[in-house]
Amino acid sequence: MTALLPLDDYTLRVVVLGAATLGVVAGALGTFAVLRRQALVGDAISHAALPGVALAYLLTGSKSSLLLMIGAALTGFAAVLLVTAVVRTTRVKQDAALGIWLSVFFGVGLVLLTWLQRRPDASQAGLDRFLFGQAATLLREDVVTMAAAGALALLVLLALWKELKVLAFDHEFGATLGLRMRLVDVVLVGLLVVAIVIGLQTVGAVLMASMIVAPAAAARQWTDRLGAMTVLAAAFGALAGALGAVASAEVSRLPTGPTIVVVATALVAVSLLAAPRRGLVARAVRSRRARERLGLAQVLADLAQLEQVHEGPARGHHAATVGAMEQADVLPALVELERRGLVERTPDDRWLLTDRGRSEVSRA
Amino acid sequence: MTTAALEVTDLTVAYGDKPVLWDVDVEVPVGTLTAIVGPNGAGKTTLLRSILGLVKPAAGQALVLGRPYREQRRLVAYVPQRGSVDWDFPTDVRDVVLMGRYGRIGWVRRPGRRDREAADEALRQLGIEHLASRQISQLSGGQQQRVFLARALVQEAELYLMDEPFQGVDATTELAIVELLRALREHGKTIVCVHHDLQTVAEYFDRVVLLNVRTVAAGTVEEVFTEENLRLAYGGRSAAFGRRNGP
């Protein structure tokens, strides 16, 4: 059953603002996570943030969004540290270590959450929104907290722009320059933690990681510049956040996280298909044009070869003769060549090179 | 006796229990061109990486101009293998070259005019100034290598450690690189290259380190680059003389 919620302008504005804020921060920082090939780290952080939310509530009894975010950040960060520790001290590879800790933390989070739900007091109600997100529960104070934390993260990103760029492109080279790449890596993880926890209430732990990956992946299709990619990813993130939040706020029981992620994924799909140069369509057109160009040149060369084989004054040849050489229908190519003035059609329906056609062949 | 540009003593590196380098000693005099040569798995790349602190050695140390590498980082430029980075990264040639300056620019601050001038000069030296704003994914193998060399040049180092700079480059680029290395040597710089092509060792380099987990031989090309030593290093299969004496 769906029904329109009586959301007034003010509430809607808060919700859209909050969702757009998380989109901007996740998109911009996600750019570096994706380029550093650490997109999965985002997944681990967001899942591992769940027990932090439950613990923060359990310990303080407060549902203030700042406290819950701090709890989420602490467990999210702890999970990444544990992953690093496992990779350093054992032979387990990073993807496996991520998978292990992600499941452990998320499992603990679900247990805590379920247990909290069963407690007799009703004050814990609503914590489950951290699973799939519920933008409609955003308050003005929440958005202010999100914006402040997000702005701080973006400032750090700007300040460490070149260090983060080297980290993502060639961190070993960076280390030989004397730049403290491990520290920069930890800072990047810290920034990702911030980006993720500010989106937790809106998008939820299960899907927040895709807000790190999707806008950046979409943005990469449209530009070859790091700065432009970061700005574009922020814009895509904001767009997905805002559209998804509006949709889920207007339609009851539509969870916000999945809606936002669906919009973000649509942006990725459109970008993969339609982006100029990198997009699939553009690439298909390019390779087809290349094939056609090759085809025209080939047909032209075939005609020249036939001319050489036959002595005496140049005479035309039937399309079928050329076609037999290429084992294909060359008529469209001949028509196109005629349009370009490189061949002409004789009255008895043969095809003859023009002078321009001949010089074109000898040039090639 | 003058200080060596690079002095590696008793270097041992192990991955797990398997020694990759064992008790390696290398001494490289200032102003020379040295090739590190050896079969696959000899530890050539690991030698460079452990000198640079990218791999933690189990034992041994590397001195650069008489002092530990950590104190001399500014004086050492590293040219990694081309394949070690993602060339689809969204940036252009000038920006990659500028990265060589990041160590001296310092935290937070942006490259200044001096840095950009150094980058332009390095691009000119490598003959790729026309590629300055080219997206790096559109470079050929030879052009990629030139970009990496330009990035090392702007470091204005004394010692250059290069991992297979001739790997997969066209003949023109190979010549350009050789000329660059010689020009650097003329200016008193020291260059150490991991090198694969035994045919060109004698032509391009002054000195050779023959490596196969241990130092098989090291010294000038005339002293060291003999069939006997190559057989020792390659276990009876030395491609340089087109002969296979293996089982």
Side-chain angles (χ1 to χ4, degrees):
Chain A
M1 188 200 89
T2 58
L4 285 179
L5 287 179
L7 267 188
D8 57 55
D9 279 353
Y10 177 77
T11 313
L12 191 61
R13 218 178 315 153
V14 168
V15 166
V16 168
L17 218 58
T21 302
L22 86 87
V24 165
V25 180
L29 294 169
T31 298
F32 286 83
V34 167
L35 290 176
R36 171 107 176 81
R37 297 171 183 265
Q38 296 281 16
L40 274 178
V41 170
D43 217 15
I45 295 171
S46 71
H47 281 79
L50 194 62
V53 172
L55 281 173
Y57 171 73
L58 211 60
L59 292 177
T60 65
S62 150
K63 281 201 290 183
S64 116
S65 66
L66 183 61
L67 271 174
L68 298 185
M69 276 187 209
I70 290 173
L74 287 178
T75 51
F77 202 78
V80 179
L81 290 182
L82 287 168
V83 168
T84 314
V86 166
V87 171
R88 287 229 181 110
T89 55
T90 71
R91 291 193 176 189
V92 177
K93 299 279 182 275
Q94 200 203 18
D95 55 341
L98 280 170
I100 294 164
W101 286 117
L102 178 157
S103 326
V104 169
F105 275 76
F106 191 62
V108 170
L110 282 181
V111 168
L112 285 176
L113 222 54
T114 316
W115 180 66
L116 278 173
Q117 305 287 12
R118 294 223 182 111
R119 291 213 309 188
D121 62 23
S123 65
Q124 85 291 349
L127 278 187
D128 58 334
R129 68 175 182 267
F130 284 94
L131 211 48
F132 287 112
Q134 189 46 266
T137 63
L138 279 182
L139 302 173
R140 189 174 167 277
E141 302 86 81
D142 299 334
V143 177
V144 170
T145 312
M146 290 163 66
L152 201 65
L154 292 179
L155 275 178
V156 174
L157 171 70
L158 275 181
L160 295 184
W161 182 262
K162 73 176 196 302
E163 285 78 8
L164 288 164
K165 182 167 62 184
V166 178
L167 177 79
F169 178 63
D170 193 353
H171 62 100
E172 291 197 330
F173 179 76
T176 68
L177 291 174
L179 299 171
R180 299 185 55 194
M181 285 291 121
R182 279 206 184 148
L183 181 61
V184 179
D185 208 12
V186 171
V187 170
L188 178 58
V189 170
L191 296 178
L192 287 175
V193 168
V194 172
I196 284 166
V197 300
I198 66 176
L200 227 45
Q201 185 177 343
T202 313
V203 180
V206 177
L207 289 170
M208 188 54 206
S210 58
M211 283 306 284
I212 297 288
V213 180
R220 180 67 188 92
Q221 297 298 311
W222 300 89
T223 174
D224 277 334
R225 314 225 153 246
L226 183 58
M229 179 179 167
T230 308
V231 171
L232 209 54
F236 283 158
L239 188 66
L243 284 179
V246 169
S248 89
E250 292 296 340
V251 182
S252 103
R253 287 169 184 271
L254 194 56
T256 316
T259 316
I260 290 179
V261 170
V262 165
V263 177
T265 310
L267 285 172
V268 174
V270 169
S271 303
L272 286 175
L273 278 175
R277 302 209 309 108
R278 292 179 79 93
L280 289 177
V281 172
R283 269 151 64 178
V285 168
R286 258 206 315 279
S287 76
R288 194 174 154 185
R289 282 213 188 115
R291 258 204 320 277
E292 281 172 2
R293 260 202 308 279
L294 191 70
L296 292 182
Q298 188 61 45
V299 168
L300 210 58
D302 291 344
L303 274 174
Q305 201 194 331
L306 286 171
E307 235 172 51
Q308 279 176 3
V309 171
H310 297 275
E311 289 173 11
R315 58 189 176 91
H317 295 272
H318 287 293
T321 316
V322 184
M325 296 171 76
E326 294 301 321
Q327 300 179 351
D329 178 15
V330 293
L331 200 58
L334 286 167
V335 171
E336 172 64 20
L337 286 169
E338 181 182 32
R339 198 183 63 78
R340 297 187 188 188
L342 300 172
V343 302
E344 59 188 355
R345 201 173 199 156
T346 61
D348 56 345
D349 206 26
R350 293 166 183 249
W351 297 86
L352 183 65
L353 283 172
T354 62
D355 287 340
R356 266 187 60 206
R358 266 177 219 111
S359 64
E360 180 77 25
V361 171
S362 55
R363 217 156 28 98
Chain B
M1 195 193 132
T2 51
T3 323
L6 174 67
E7 189 180 355
V8 176
T9 39
D10 302 341
L11 188 74
T12 297
V13 179
Y15 293 142
D17 302 329
K18 195 169 163 261
V20 184
L21 290 173
W22 188 22
D23 203 23
V24 168
D25 297 315
V26 175
E27 197 178 318
V28 178
V30 171
T32 57
L33 257 166
T34 299
I36 300 175
V37 173
N40 289 332
K44 304 183 293 287
T45 295
T46 306
L47 175 57
L48 289 195
R49 289 167 55 82
S50 52
I51 294 168
L52 292 160
L54 298 173
V55 174
K56 202 172 173 307
Q61 61 167 350
L63 298 183
V64 174
L65 290 162
R67 301 170 69 90
Y69 166 75
R70 290 184 147 283
E71 299 170 23
Q72 304 280 58
R73 232 189 289 253
R74 279 286 160 75
L75 303 179
V76 183
Y78 173 44
V79 180
Q81 285 183 25
R82 267 191 304 125
S84 63
V85 301
D86 173 15
W87 289 95
D88 196 34
F89 195 86
T91 190
D92 62 23
V93 166
R94 179 185 278 112
D95 200 40
V96 172
V97 174
L98 269 173
M99 286 182 192
R101 302 290 287 189
Y102 285 7
R104 43 180 81 219
I105 293 172
W107 289 86
V108 179
R109 293 175 48 213
R110 298 288 145 107
R113 216 189 56 178
R114 283 259 309 113
D115 302 308
R116 284 193 296 275
E117 282 169 3
D120 288 341
E121 174 58 27
L123 288 169
R124 255 195 305 281
Q125 263 177 279
L126 281 143
I128 49 171
E129 60 270 45
H130 60 291
L131 300 177
S133 354
R134 180 77 60 89
Q135 157 65 20
I136 60 170
S137 64
Q138 289 161 21
L139 300 175
S140 70
Q143 290 167 339
Q144 290 174 351
Q145 194 62 59
R146 289 178 195 230
V147 171
F148 263 11
L149 286 164
R151 185 178 71 168
L153 278 191
V154 299
Q155 291 181 249
E156 294 169 8
E158 292 300 320
L159 172 65
Y160 292 81
L161 302 180
M162 307 187 177
D163 201 345
E164 305 216 15
F166 300 106
Q167 177 69 40
V169 304
D170 52 284
T172 325
T173 302
E174 180 150 345
L175 273 179
I177 296 175
V178 171
E179 265 170 38
L180 175 77
L181 300 189
R182 288 182 179 150
L184 285 170
R185 182 180 56 186
E186 294 311 305
H187 286 87
K189 315 290 187 189
T190 310
I191 301 109
V192 177
C193 295
V194 169
H195 191 62
H196 239 119
D197 182 7
L198 296 177
Q199 317 278 357
T200 51
V201 168
E203 188 190 340
Y204 294 170
F205 295 95
D206 317 322
R207 302 177 66 87
V208 186
V209 175
L210 275 173
L211 195 70
N212 192 354
V213 183
R214 310 188 62 161
T215 318
V216 175
T220 63
V221 170
E222 299 83 60
E223 291 164 11
V224 169
F225 201 62
T226 62
E227 191 170 358
E228 175 63 24
N229 279 337
L230 282 171
R231 197 172 296 132
L232 278 173
Y234 284 79
R237 294 182 302 279
S238 79
F241 303 102
R243 200 181 298 162
R244 278 176 177 274
N245 304 335

